[in-house]
Amino acid sequence: MSTLVLSAAQLFADSLPEEWAPLLDALAELDDLTHGIHLPRAERCETAAALHRRIAERLPELVEPTPSSYRLDAVETRRWFTEAALLWTRLGETSSAPLVDSLGAGVLRDFPLDLPAGEPAERVRAALPLAFGWSPEEMGGIERELGHLTSNLSLKRALTAALARRLSAGAGAGAGAGAGAEGSSAGARVALFRQIYGKVPLRAGDVDVVMTATALFFCIPKNGTVLEVADWAERPLPERAEVTRFLEQLISANTAETRRFPAFGWFDPAALDAELCRALGEEVGAPPGVVAGTLATMVSVLATQKADQYLVHDAWGHTWQEALVEFEWEYALLPSLDDPLGPDSGPALGGEGTAPLAAAFVAEGGRVRLDEDALLAFAEAEVRGRVRVATSAALAEMLADFMESKYGHFRGVPLPTSSLLTTAVVKIDLTLADLRRQVVRWTQPYRTLAVDEPSRRGLAAALLARGAPEPGLDEAVDAAARLMWSGLATAFDETLRAEPGPGEGLRSSVLRRLALQFLLVARELEEAMARRAAAPGPVHLDPARSADLFALAVARLYEHDRTRSFWHLDQVARTEIGPACGQLAQALAERPTR
């Protein structure tokens, strides 16, 4: 939809409307606050709240019409909403109150699910064909597709049930001091930790366990590279050194970049105890390799002192993003955003059908000729892939913040956060920081090639080894580096503040466009949370009030075509999700049965 300013087709366009300058400047000021650590936090929070209000006042200027292909009368739109509603019926399976909780993590005990399991969920399933006109065959096809998508959920639940039994048995057998109502003992907890993270010399009492239906959190009283325990200074030096080495590994791992989403942080698959995987495999009926791969997506280490800040966010914000939708695929690619460009670059991030970089260097008459059209097609597809991966990660975090905020609204007290927008539903300051960080990362390979002579000679050598003629090769690589850097300049601009454009309007960049679109999505999430609190009564009978369904609908729409649909999430949320919920509510009121 090239007529829309914020759309996939306009991603690399060089201008934005001049009237959007105040919004961009407010965003830049908010982003600057995140780095203003010399200012008192209270002052920064107050300023951030004022900027947030300014931004909210200007957001209507960005609103654009919903394309016809995303209207509710389109078959694909009815389908993704139906899928979202079916996934809603399974949200409660993706987490739970703690199965084991030696920490006393009250934040996980009363998460307010909008749709109870059992008869209410069955009513929703039965209402969907009536609401959207699906035949039994069509409905069956949709359910089978989602069954494949969610197939790993039952294995995770079986594994946590088995691990809970093991911890309980350890407590019952007196496997160490500290056994109690949490269903584990201090000795059993540290033993399980060592089976998963290796023979780290932590002691009984150093490790707490919080385990939900699909996630296992080890909580350690770590502060930097030491433990905040009374006897730390008295422990033998070699023991402290080994613990410190482990804590340094945790620090060095970038928790925002993981191949094992929805789990985060450092993890060494080689440390996972083979006997544990074999025994669990026998118990749950799965091969040990499958058990090992699944456990890797379930375990994380948290600082005991900050557990409340992360437990709800991870257990109810991220677990469903892997169990019910497929954000894990983009997270798996996130570490490669700053990988150097090589002859085979292209398909991994650009997707199937993207020609590799090497294809732009054509051998003719014993010389290399640069095919500029092929080069720019490669670069555009490859950079779009990088943008998509970064966008997916930022959207996943935004939706997790949304679910966390729902819990804070329910409890009446916001959970601890590093955001300056402590009371906002969506922490847009954290989103801006995420985006800026990823722009720097996806820019690095292109900047390096453009400014670093040894990098260009390395690419030339790699192409030569692949059979490219030597004559003209260095010149072609140099020209390619310059052309990609200049041709996609808007993708490599790291600034947010409004600046005059090359012609009419403001200078555009991919970062500016992403930031503005995320603002629009955040606005709709804020509205959805307000609707949930607007009226009494069971939320599941009035789906338009369900924050859970809203989050799933946004995520499932995004999954249908990530590159394109991201730019229409706000429009569909504003104009189509409400009517779709209305049709479902009407069908629910008729009390259908299957």
Side-chain angles (χ1 to χ4, degrees), residues 38-120:
H38 59 285
L39 298 173
R41 178 171 169 83
E43 181 180 335
R44 293 162 66 208
C45 288
E46 183 178 352
T47 305
L51 284 168
H52 193 245
R53 290 191 293 272
R54 272 173 52 192
I55 289 168
E57 291 170 0
R58 304 300 297 255
L59 275 180
E61 299 171 11
L62 303 183
V63 170
E64 297 183 293
T66 306
S68 59
S69 58
Y70 285 92
R71 291 288 186 179
L72 190 54
D73 56 5
V75 172
E76 275 302 301
T77 301
R78 295 198 302 276
R79 182 183 177 92
W80 70 252
F81 185 83
T82 300
E83 292 168 350
L86 283 171
L87 295 173
W88 185 35
T89 68
R90 301 200 64 184
L91 180 63
E93 299 175 47
T94 67
S95 192
S96 67
L99 306 180
V100 176
D101 180 11
S102 65
L103 190 65
V107 294
L108 286 181
R109 296 195 179 280
D110 52 3
F111 186 83
L113 279 172
D114 293 342
L115 178 60
E119 192 273 338

Side-chain angles (χ1 to χ4, degrees), residues 19-356:
E19 58 268 26
W20 292 2
L23 261 173
L24 290 171
D25 288 341
L27 277 176
E29 290 179 47
L30 181 59
D31 189 49
D32 288 344
L33 273 180
T34 65
H35 310 294
I37 55 176
H38 59 285
L39 298 173
R41 178 171 169 83
E43 181 180 335
R44 293 162 66 208
C45 288
E46 183 178 352
T47 305
L51 284 168
H52 193 245
R53 290 191 293 272
R54 272 173 52 192
I55 289 168
E57 291 170 0
R58 304 300 297 255
L59 275 180
E61 299 171 11
L62 303 183
V63 170
E64 297 183 293
T66 306
S68 59
S69 58
Y70 285 92
R71 291 288 186 179
L72 190 54
D73 56 5
V75 172
E76 275 302 301
T77 301
R78 295 198 302 276
R79 182 183 177 92
W80 70 252
F81 185 83
T82 300
E83 292 168 350
L86 283 171
L87 295 173
W88 185 35
T89 68
R90 301 200 64 184
L91 180 63
E93 299 175 47
T94 67
S95 192
S96 67
L99 306 180
V100 176
D101 180 11
S102 65
L103 190 65
V107 294
L108 286 181
R109 296 195 179 280
D110 52 3
F111 186 83
L113 279 172
D114 293 342
L115 178 60
E119 192 273 338
E122 285 302 315
R123 283 187 63 188
V124 169
R125 292 189 188 98
L128 286 167
L130 178 62
F132 300 106
W134 303 116
S135 69
E137 294 75 21
E138 290 169 328
M139 196 68 194
I142 294 172
E143 290 178 325
R144 283 191 297 274
E145 180 179 329
L146 293 184
H148 175 73
L149 181 69
T150 60
S151 59
N152 204 40
L153 184 53
S154 59
L155 175 58
K156 287 192 170 186
R157 292 176 64 86
L159 286 172
T160 55
L163 288 168
R165 287 192 292 271
R166 282 173 163 262
L167 286 170
S168 179
E182 76 282 347
S184 65
S185 70
R189 295 192 295 272
V190 77
L192 179 61
F193 177 88
R194 290 172 182 160
Q195 286 180 302
I196 293 177
Y197 278 93
K199 299 189 181 301
V200 184
L202 295 175
R203 298 184 178 186
D206 290 346
V207 179
D208 279 297
V209 168
V210 179
M211 185 159 54
T212 70
T214 59
L216 170 59
F217 301 96
F218 290 107
C219 301
I220 299 173
K222 61 188 180 76
N223 183 2
T225 60
V226 303
L227 297 182
E228 288 188 342
V229 292
D231 65 344
W232 175 249
E234 286 74 46
R235 296 186 186 187
L237 183 59
E239 179 180 332
R240 282 184 286 149
E242 187 64 17
V243 172
T244 292
R245 186 190 66 82
F246 172 73
L247 297 178
E248 287 172 344
Q249 288 176 312
L250 293 181
I251 293 170
S252 66
N254 187 337
T255 57
E257 300 170 15
T258 176
R259 289 184 172 87
R260 56 190 196 92
F261 182 81
F264 289 91
W266 182 83
F267 179 80
D268 181 7
L272 192 56
D273 185 77
E275 176 57 26
L276 174 67
C277 294
R278 185 201 62 76
L280 288 173
E282 287 186 356
E283 192 166 349
V284 303
V290 172
V291 169
T294 304
L295 279 176
T297 70
M298 299 170 62
V299 297
S300 299
V301 177
L302 302 178
T304 302
Q305 307 91 316
K306 295 185 176 181
D308 283 358
Q309 184 172 333
Y310 297 103
L311 282 172
V312 173
H313 183 91
D314 289 352
W316 282 108
H318 282 311
T319 53
W320 64 267
Q321 295 174 355
E322 182 266 345
L324 303 183
V325 289
E326 296 184 298
F327 279 93
E328 69 271 20
W329 298 110
E330 306 298 39
Y331 268 97
L333 291 171
L334 199 58
S336 64
L337 279 193
D338 50 8
D339 284 354
L341 292 171
D344 296 319
S345 297
L349 286 165
E352 186 178 349
T354 301

Side-chain angles (χ1 to χ4, degrees), residues 24 28 436 439 492-499 507 509 511-512:
L24 290 171
R436 285 282 297 275
V439 171
F492 310 134
D493 184 343
E494 301 166 15
T495 60
L496 277 168
R497 196 171 296 277
E499 298 174 359
R507 185 157 65 90
S509 69
L511 173 60
R512 291 181 177 96

Side-chain angles (χ1 to χ4, degrees), residues 499-555:
E499 298 174 359
E504 294 184 0
L506 305 173
R507 185 157 65 90
S508 180
S509 69
V510 171
L511 173 60
R512 291 181 177 96
R513 289 177 180 272
L514 287 174
L516 292 170
Q517 180 61 18
F518 269 109
L519 277 181
L520 288 169
V521 176
R523 177 186 187 232
E524 298 306 322
L525 291 170
E526 297 274 357
E527 293 289 331
M529 194 67 74
R531 285 193 297 273
R532 190 186 189 279
V539 176
H540 69 275
L541 295 178
D542 185 7
R545 289 176 50 220
S546 173
D548 298 347
L549 176 57
F550 192 88
L552 284 162
V554 168

